Amino acid sequence: MATTLTDPYRGFLFRVEISGIQIAAFSEATVPDITVETVDYREGTDPVWKRPYSGLTSYGKLTLKKGLTDSMDLYNWFTLVSTQGSTAKGAQKNVSLILVDTTGADKARWNVINAFASKYESTGLNASSSDVMVETFELTMQYMVRVS
């Protein structure tokens, strides 16, 4: 039986869906890391080595970058969290990162659950530069799943 080779998807076609916020495009989005901590355990009657067990799972930060526009939706979300906390009504949102192939079909989806904006930064102002102003939003989440 012959093995069928498939090309890996490229990471330059994607879209981001944030519940309740309409954004046209992002220039960059990171897929957060997932880490399962390990806990070593040994009973007195065990051999002379420790047994590893899985512990708590932690999720990295989701970073979104986009060109600065007139839209204040993401900044207002960050302001809500920074002034009223992550438990305020509307502060936690579900976010989806969708990888799209060259034909426009959805190929992979990561659903980020109960995310809130935890950091905001923007590129600096420079009179001798023609670079686009970029806003960066860092999101903290409860958990993330890949569904396709």
Side-chain angles (χ1 to χ4, degrees), residues 10-99:
R10 297 178 182 212
F12 64 90
L13 291 174
F14 65 94
R15 70 177 190 278
V16 178
E17 296 174 355
I18 302 173
S19 58
I21 297 178
Q22 298 297 319
I23 300 295
F26 289 92
S27 61
E28 188 175 332
T30 61
V31 177
D33 63 310
I34 303 172
T35 304
V36 177
E37 296 176 13
T38 58
V39 178
D40 291 333
Y41 181 76
R42 182 180 178 276
E43 292 182 356
T45 58
D46 282 350
V48 294
W49 58 82
K50 299 175 194 170
R51 292 184 281 167
Y53 289 97
S54 61
L56 298 174
T57 302
S58 61
Y59 297 86
K61 309 283 187 187
L62 167 60
T63 304
L64 301 173
K65 293 184 179 187
K66 68 177 218 43
L68 181 70
T69 64
D70 290 342
S71 174
M72 293 286 290
D73 291 340
L74 283 176
Y75 186 79
N76 289 341
W77 180 30
F78 172 76
T79 302
L80 172 69
V81 174
S82 67
T83 59
Q84 298 181 31
S86 64
T87 58
K89 183 177 180 174
Q92 294 186 9
K93 299 183 179 296
N94 293 336
V95 178
S96 292
L97 301 174
I98 301 105
L99 180 66

Side-chain angles (χ1 to χ4, degrees), residues 80-145:
L80 172 69
V81 174
S82 67
T83 59
Q84 298 181 31
S86 64
T87 58
K89 183 177 180 174
Q92 294 186 9
K93 299 183 179 296
N94 293 336
V95 178
S96 292
L97 301 174
I98 301 105
L99 180 66
V100 180
D101 69 8
T102 54
T103 66
D106 293 357
K107 289 300 178 180
R109 175 184 287 264
W110 294 266
N111 289 334
V112 175
I113 309 302
N114 294 334
F116 59 91
S118 57
K119 183 178 179 181
Y120 169 82
E121 65 180 3
S122 178
T123 53
L125 303 170
N126 184 343
S128 65
S129 173
S130 61
D131 292 342
V132 170
M133 291 283 298
V134 175
E135 290 181 299
T136 302
F137 294 89
E138 191 172 272
L139 308 182
T140 300
M141 73 194 74
Q142 187 173 3
Y143 66 97
M144 178 183 73
V145 294

